[in-house]
Amino acid sequence: MSPLSSKHLLEIEDFNHDDIELVLETARSFAEINERSIKKLPTLRGRTIINLFLEPSTRTRTSFEIASKRLSADAVNMAGSSSSTVKGESLKDTAQTLSAMSCDLAIIRHKFSGAPRILAENMDCHVINGGDGIHQHPTQTLLDLFTIRERFGSIKGKTVGIVGDILHSRVAGSLAPALNSLGARVVFIAPPTMLPARPDILGGEVVYSLDDIVSELDIVYLLRIQAERASKIGVPSLREYSNLYCMDARRAKKLSKNALIMHPGPMNRGVEISSDLADDPRTAVLDQVTSGVAVRMAIMYLMLGGDSNGATA
Amino acid sequence: MALLLKGGRVIDPKVDLDGIYDVVIRDGVIQEIGSDLSIPKGVTCDCTGRIILPGLFDMHTHLREPGYEYKEDIESGTRAAVKGGFTGIACMPNTHPVADNSSVIDFIKKKAAQSAHCRVYPIGAITKNLEGEDLTEMADMLSAGAVAFSDDGKGIQNAGVMRQAMDYAKMFPATLIAHEEDKSLVGSGCVNEGPISTKLGLPGQPGISETIAAQRDIELCDLTGCRLHVAHVSSYHTVDALRDAKKRGIPVTAEVTPHHLLLTEDDLSTTYDTNLKMNPPLRSKEDRAALIEGLLDGTIDCIASDHAPHAPHEKEREFERAAYGTTGLETSLSLMLTHFVAKGIFGYGTLVEKMSDAPRRALGIDTVTIEKGSCADLTIIDPNYSFIVDTDERESKARNSAFVGWELTGRASDVLIAGYFKMRDGEVVE
Ligand SMILES: [Zn+2]
Ligand SMILES: [Zn+2]
């Protein structure tokens, strides 16, 4: 039996506080293992994990793949271009086909919100949402929480500014409610055109101006701007966006010395963050990537039947 | 051929009729309404405990034939209509090919004459191929049997085209049925813009995207004098606009669907249930309350199902890619009986107005009356019959329903068209 309260991780809300605590604890021991020269554990030997990435994402897919290999699971990749869904097969059919091949865990990335649920409803195995539409990206959230905890010890009482296109961001979609429920103050910093209809539902306040609030922030979380879509997502130009919302040296001076600058990657230097600041010690972007592997190992390990002691055993 | 309906509660507010009566029908025509009637020979049907109403009419359905018979066809769609208690329905023109010329209207009429279980009134397109640009040959379609015109499913985006269509249609006169949707505000929105769109990460569309289009058409209606019927009202702003328009004496009518009267966006919660994906979308509690208020105060004239049958594979997919709509013909009446009539929100008289008279008047066709000499198109209701909405026991080809699992009380038990039973004791007559 999995020690987690939910069979699947479709939304961050599937994990209660104890689950989150357990994942972060377990991830810490995996993070130590990831610093050893031999990083492989036999824990999930014989288990089959399918990476169903129906929307291209090298970073997340690679992170999951490394995580499963370090646990000795057999990881199979199904990329968007080669998958049968492009041949007109429905996601339900795909799910039933995969289910017939009896895998243990499926990770799905999909461009439409709610798609992981279709998979979960039509498969026997565990399902992890690897990012769906503009909805949520719960494993990103867990690795972000891990990164914040590693730096600050605790999340409670911290002020987190999430900057940019909240409306179209699945990263914000799961991070904001999670931070909120863990006792952080969440502030969305964006123009009204980049805000969802009801930001309060996600657990955040709204401030339009980054300059007005930057000095109050413990954590600045910069969202990636889909540069090719700038005009469609509600800013007149990348130049104007960057004038208003780019984390640059001038704004960094107002930011506390202990603050954390985060970004889910890949960064557009000069748009969300100025080039020099990308290499500032306060910037945790590479820590986030490193945490990503450990956190994903922890989730897979716990889902497929581990307990928190097994990780180091 | 004589038929005696014995001891039913006969209700027709148009002729001030409400009481326990016997009804004698001969050669399809109501011959007598009274007490202790008998017929020398013919069929006697015991209607004790049943309610006899003028035949119900659904002015907004999609029968899918020609072109999408895998979803529904005229035969299966009208079977569903009769099962749901309707003696007549109007069908929208978004078929393939589009019903935008007299040969398609003609085809629907001929097909209906061969295979339909109830009366079928085709609605023609306003613009060719529903593209919102060039007017169709309305006169030709009217002579082929079309009763009204609509670009349902899309709406006309260009105000100049709508103005021209109204100017043209008023000479017949013919009603234009407007699917109100300003696409520039809707975008890719597939649910109501609000807490649910935020929570589920689905593109939202604001209620005012309907109202702005409706308000435009109301002003054009005022300018041109053409009869306008606003389809499937969903937003409280639109109810306000309609109320105001009616105060100003503008010749506009409107309909609401059972699903907008009974469901809200909150029913979507976190499930991504594509059976609840509608166009216009299910809106907020406030919208729903305004729709009920508008129905009761006469701002909204009638109830129509917007019966939208789809094949399973068109619904069982990602929410944003799934087809819009729910079937409604087989559930509309029972939903209204359970959630409005039985709860005392309105009586059978209002039900007749909203589901029989007003929709026919909106289309400019004769209403059905229960009086001596009238054609016997009747819907007989068993108010006590309880059932659970089940997708396997249906006359429609489609299985998509927003009401699966709902427990309902009251249904049509019998349907008569021109004196013939089209449904008897809940079974569609072959
Ligand atoms: Zn419509
Ligand atoms: Zn329709």
Side-chain angles (χ1 to χ4, degrees), chain A residues 11 13 90-92 110 112-115 117-118 121 132 134-135 196-198 201-202, chain B residues 193-203 270-272 313 316-321:
Chain A
E11 303 171 323
E13 290 86 350
S90 76
L91 190 57
K92 185 184 171 186
H110 200 289
F112 289 121
S113 303
R117 188 168 296 274
I118 298 177
E121 282 166 3
D132 63 329
I134 58 171
H135 179 222
R198 290 283 301 276
I201 294 285
L202 299 178
Chain B
E193 183 179 289
I196 294 299
S197 67
T198 302
K199 174 135 189 20
L200 297 186
L202 292 170
T270 60
T271 62
Y272 294 92
H313 71 270
E316 289 173 351
R317 56 198 311 189
E318 299 86 337
F319 195 92
E320 285 166 73
R321 297 172 71 201

Coordinates of all heavy atoms in Angstrom, one line a residue, chain A residues 11 13 90-92 110 112-115 117-118 121 132 134-135 196-198 201-202, chain B residues 193-203 270-272 313 316-321:
Chain A
E11 N -4.0 16.8 -9.4 CA -4.0 18.2 -9.0 C -3.3 18.2 -7.7 O -3.3 17.2 -6.9 CB -5.5 18.7 -8.8 CG -6.4 18.5 -9.9 CD -7.8 18.8 -9.6 OE1 -8.3 18.5 -8.5 OE2 -8.5 19.4 -10.4
E13 N -4.2 19.5 -5.1 CA -5.1 19.3 -4.0 C -5.3 17.8 -3.7 O -5.9 17.4 -2.6 CB -6.5 19.9 -4.3 CG -6.6 21.4 -4.3 CD -6.1 22.0 -5.7 OE1 -5.6 21.3 -6.6 OE2 -6.3 23.2 -5.8
S90 N -8.3 8.3 -29.7 CA -8.7 9.2 -28.6 C -7.8 8.9 -27.4 O -7.3 7.8 -27.2 CB -10.2 9.1 -28.2 OG -10.3 7.9 -27.5
L91 N -7.8 9.9 -26.5 CA -7.0 9.7 -25.2 C -7.6 8.5 -24.4 O -6.8 7.8 -23.8 CB -7.0 11.0 -24.4 CG -6.1 11.0 -23.2 CD1 -4.7 10.8 -23.7 CD2 -6.2 12.4 -22.5
K92 N -8.9 8.3 -24.5 CA -9.5 7.2 -23.8 C -9.0 5.9 -24.4 O -8.6 5.0 -23.7 CB -11.0 7.3 -24.0 CG -11.8 6.3 -23.2 CD -13.2 6.3 -23.4 CE -13.9 5.1 -22.8 NZ -15.4 5.1 -23.1
H110 N -0.1 17.2 -21.2 CA -1.1 17.3 -22.3 C -1.4 18.8 -22.4 O -1.4 19.5 -21.5 CB -2.3 16.5 -22.0 CG -3.2 16.2 -23.1 ND1 -3.9 17.2 -23.8 CD2 -3.4 15.0 -23.8 CE1 -4.6 16.6 -24.8 NE2 -4.3 15.3 -24.8
F112 N -4.3 20.0 -23.1 CA -5.6 20.4 -22.6 C -5.8 20.1 -21.1 O -5.5 19.0 -20.7 CB -6.7 19.6 -23.4 CG -6.8 20.1 -24.8 CD1 -6.6 19.2 -25.9 CD2 -7.1 21.4 -25.1 CE1 -6.7 19.7 -27.2 CE2 -7.2 21.9 -26.4 CZ -7.0 21.0 -27.5
S113 N -6.4 21.0 -20.4 CA -6.7 20.9 -19.0 C -7.6 19.7 -18.8 O -8.5 19.5 -19.5 CB -7.3 22.2 -18.5 OG -6.5 23.3 -18.8
G114 N -7.3 19.0 -17.7 CA -8.2 17.9 -17.4 C -7.8 16.6 -18.0 O -8.4 15.5 -17.7
A115 N -6.9 16.6 -19.0 CA -6.6 15.3 -19.7 C -6.1 14.2 -18.8 O -6.5 13.1 -19.0 CB -5.6 15.6 -20.9
R117 N -7.0 13.4 -16.0 CA -8.2 12.7 -15.4 C -8.8 11.7 -16.3 O -9.2 10.6 -15.8 CB -9.3 13.8 -15.0 CG -10.4 13.3 -14.2 CD -11.2 14.4 -13.7 NE -10.5 15.2 -12.7 CZ -10.4 14.9 -11.4 NH1 -11.0 13.9 -10.9 NH2 -9.6 15.7 -10.6
I118 N -8.8 11.9 -17.6 CA -9.3 10.9 -18.5 C -8.4 9.7 -18.5 O -8.9 8.6 -18.5 CB -9.3 11.5 -20.0 CG1 -10.2 12.7 -20.1 CG2 -9.7 10.4 -21.0 CD1 -10.3 13.4 -21.4
E121 N -9.1 7.8 -15.2 CA -10.4 7.1 -15.3 C -10.4 5.9 -16.1 O -11.3 5.1 -16.0 CB -11.5 8.1 -15.7 CG -12.0 9.1 -14.6 CD -12.8 10.2 -15.1 OE1 -13.1 10.3 -16.4 OE2 -13.1 11.1 -14.3
D132 N -0.9 20.0 -17.4 CA -2.1 19.9 -18.3 C -2.6 21.3 -18.6 O -3.1 22.0 -17.8 CB -3.2 19.0 -17.7 CG -3.8 19.5 -16.4 OD1 -3.1 20.2 -15.6 OD2 -5.0 19.3 -16.2
I134 N -3.7 24.9 -19.2 CA -3.4 26.0 -18.4 C -3.9 25.8 -16.9 O -4.1 26.7 -16.2 CB -4.0 27.3 -18.9 CG1 -5.5 27.2 -19.0 CG2 -3.4 27.7 -20.3 CD1 -6.3 28.5 -19.4
H135 N -4.0 24.5 -16.6 CA -4.6 24.1 -15.3 C -3.5 24.0 -14.2 O -3.3 24.9 -13.5 CB -5.3 22.8 -15.5 CG -5.9 22.2 -14.3 ND1 -5.9 20.9 -14.0 CD2 -6.6 22.8 -13.3 CE1 -6.5 20.7 -12.9 NE2 -7.0 21.8 -12.4
P196 N -6.5 35.5 -14.2 CA -7.7 34.8 -14.4 C -8.9 35.6 -13.8 O -8.7 36.6 -13.1 CB -7.5 33.5 -13.6 CG -6.5 33.9 -12.5 CD -5.6 34.9 -13.2
A197 N -10.1 35.1 -14.2 CA -11.3 35.8 -13.8 C -11.4 35.9 -12.2 O -11.8 37.0 -11.7 CB -12.5 35.0 -14.3
R198 N -10.9 34.9 -11.5 CA -11.1 34.9 -10.1 C -9.8 34.5 -9.4 O -9.6 33.4 -8.9 CB -12.2 34.0 -9.6 CG -13.6 34.5 -10.0 CD -14.1 35.6 -9.1 NE -14.1 35.1 -7.7 CZ -15.2 34.5 -7.2 NH1 -16.2 34.2 -7.9 NH2 -15.1 34.0 -6.0
I201 N -9.7 32.6 -6.1 CA -10.0 31.1 -6.1 C -8.6 30.4 -6.0 O -8.6 29.3 -5.4 CB -10.7 30.7 -7.4 CG1 -12.1 31.3 -7.5 CG2 -10.8 29.2 -7.6 CD1 -13.1 30.7 -6.5
L202 N -7.6 30.9 -6.6 CA -6.3 30.3 -6.5 C -5.5 30.6 -5.3 O -4.4 30.1 -5.0 CB -5.4 30.7 -7.8 CG -6.0 30.3 -9.1 CD1 -5.1 30.8 -10.2 CD2 -6.2 28.8 -9.2
Chain B
E193 N -16.9 32.2 -17.7 CA -15.7 32.9 -17.1 C -16.0 33.2 -15.6 O -17.0 33.8 -15.3 CB -15.4 34.2 -17.8 CG -14.2 34.9 -17.3 CD -14.0 36.2 -18.1 OE1 -13.6 36.1 -19.3 OE2 -14.2 37.3 -17.6
G194 N -15.2 32.6 -14.7 CA -15.5 32.8 -13.3 C -14.6 31.9 -12.5 O -13.6 31.4 -12.9
P195 N -15.2 31.5 -11.3 CA -14.4 30.6 -10.4 C -14.0 29.3 -11.0 O -13.0 28.8 -10.8 CB -15.3 30.5 -9.2 CG -16.6 31.0 -9.6 CD -16.4 32.0 -10.7
I196 N -15.0 28.7 -11.8 CA -14.7 27.4 -12.3 C -13.7 27.4 -13.4 O -12.8 26.6 -13.5 CB -16.1 26.8 -12.8 CG1 -17.0 26.5 -11.5 CG2 -15.8 25.5 -13.5 CD1 -16.4 25.6 -10.5
S197 N -13.8 28.5 -14.3 CA -12.8 28.5 -15.4 C -11.4 28.7 -14.7 O -10.4 28.2 -15.2 CB -13.1 29.7 -16.3 OG -13.0 31.0 -15.7
T198 N -11.3 29.5 -13.7 CA -10.1 29.7 -13.0 C -9.6 28.4 -12.3 O -8.4 28.0 -12.5 CB -10.2 30.8 -11.9 OG1 -10.7 32.0 -12.5 CG2 -8.9 31.1 -11.2
K199 N -10.5 27.7 -11.7 CA -10.0 26.5 -10.9 C -9.7 25.4 -11.9 O -8.7 24.7 -11.7 CB -11.2 26.1 -10.0 CG -11.0 24.8 -9.3 CD -11.4 24.9 -7.9 CE -11.0 23.6 -7.1 NZ -9.9 22.8 -7.6
L200 N -10.4 25.2 -12.9 CA -10.2 24.1 -13.8 C -9.1 24.4 -14.9 O -8.7 23.6 -15.7 CB -11.5 23.6 -14.5 CG -12.6 23.0 -13.6 CD1 -13.7 22.5 -14.4 CD2 -12.0 22.0 -12.6
G201 N -8.8 25.7 -15.0 CA -7.8 26.1 -16.0 C -8.4 25.9 -17.4 O -7.8 25.4 -18.3
L202 N -9.7 26.3 -17.6 CA -10.3 26.2 -18.9 C -10.6 27.6 -19.3 O -11.0 28.5 -18.5 CB -11.6 25.4 -18.8 CG -11.5 23.9 -18.5 CD1 -12.8 23.3 -18.1 CD2 -10.8 23.2 -19.6
P203 N -10.5 27.8 -20.6 CA -10.7 29.2 -21.1 C -12.2 29.5 -20.9 O -13.1 28.8 -21.1 CB -10.5 29.1 -22.6 CG -10.0 27.7 -22.9 CD -10.0 26.9 -21.7
T270 N -14.9 19.7 -10.1 CA -13.5 19.4 -10.6 C -13.5 18.2 -11.6 O -12.5 17.6 -11.9 CB -12.6 19.0 -9.4 OG1 -13.2 17.9 -8.8 CG2 -12.4 20.2 -8.5
T271 N -14.7 17.9 -12.1 CA -14.8 16.6 -12.8 C -14.5 16.7 -14.3 O -14.3 15.6 -14.9 CB -16.2 16.0 -12.6 OG1 -17.1 16.9 -13.2 CG2 -16.5 15.8 -11.2
Y272 N -14.5 17.8 -14.9 CA -14.3 17.9 -16.3 C -15.4 17.0 -17.0 O -15.0 16.4 -18.1 CB -12.9 17.5 -16.8 CG -11.8 18.5 -16.3 CD1 -11.2 18.2 -15.1 CD2 -11.5 19.6 -17.0 CE1 -10.2 19.1 -14.6 CE2 -10.5 20.5 -16.6 CZ -9.8 20.2 -15.4 OH -8.9 21.0 -14.9
H313 N -17.8 9.1 -28.9 CA -16.4 9.5 -29.1 C -16.3 11.0 -29.2 O -15.2 11.5 -29.0 CB -15.8 8.8 -30.3 CG -16.3 9.3 -31.6 ND1 -17.4 8.7 -32.2 CD2 -15.9 10.3 -32.4 CE1 -17.6 9.4 -33.4 NE2 -16.7 10.3 -33.5
E316 N -16.4 11.8 -25.2 CA -15.4 11.2 -24.3 C -14.0 11.6 -24.8 O -13.3 10.8 -25.3 CB -15.5 9.6 -24.4 CG -16.8 9.1 -23.7 CD -17.0 7.6 -24.0 OE1 -16.3 7.0 -24.8 OE2 -17.9 7.1 -23.3
R317 N -13.7 12.8 -24.5 CA -12.4 13.4 -24.9 C -12.1 14.6 -24.0 O -12.9 14.9 -23.1 CB -12.4 13.7 -26.4 CG -13.5 14.7 -26.8 CD -13.7 14.6 -28.3 NE -12.4 14.7 -29.0 CZ -12.3 14.9 -30.3 NH1 -13.4 15.0 -31.1 NH2 -11.1 15.0 -30.9
E318 N -10.9 15.2 -24.3 CA -10.5 16.3 -23.5 C -11.6 17.4 -23.5 O -12.2 17.6 -24.6 CB -9.2 16.9 -24.1 CG -8.1 15.9 -24.1 CD -8.0 15.0 -25.3 OE1 -9.1 14.8 -26.0 OE2 -6.9 14.5 -25.6
F319 N -11.9 18.0 -22.4 CA -13.0 18.9 -22.3 C -13.0 20.0 -23.4 O -14.0 20.2 -24.0 CB -13.0 19.6 -20.9 CG -14.3 20.3 -20.6 CD1 -15.2 19.6 -19.9 CD2 -14.5 21.6 -21.0 CE1 -16.4 20.3 -19.6 CE2 -15.7 22.3 -20.7 CZ -16.7 21.6 -20.0
E320 N -11.8 20.6 -23.6 CA -11.8 21.6 -24.6 C -12.1 21.1 -26.1 O -12.4 21.9 -26.9 CB -10.4 22.3 -24.6 CG -10.3 23.3 -23.4 CD -8.8 23.7 -23.2 OE1 -8.3 24.5 -24.0 OE2 -8.2 23.2 -22.2
R321 N -11.8 19.8 -26.3 CA -12.1 19.3 -27.6 C -13.4 18.6 -27.7 O -13.8 18.2 -28.8 CB -11.0 18.3 -28.0 CG -9.6 18.9 -28.0 CD -8.5 17.8 -28.2 NE -8.6 17.2 -29.5 CZ -8.1 16.0 -29.8 NH1 -7.5 15.3 -28.9 NH2 -8.1 15.5 -31.0

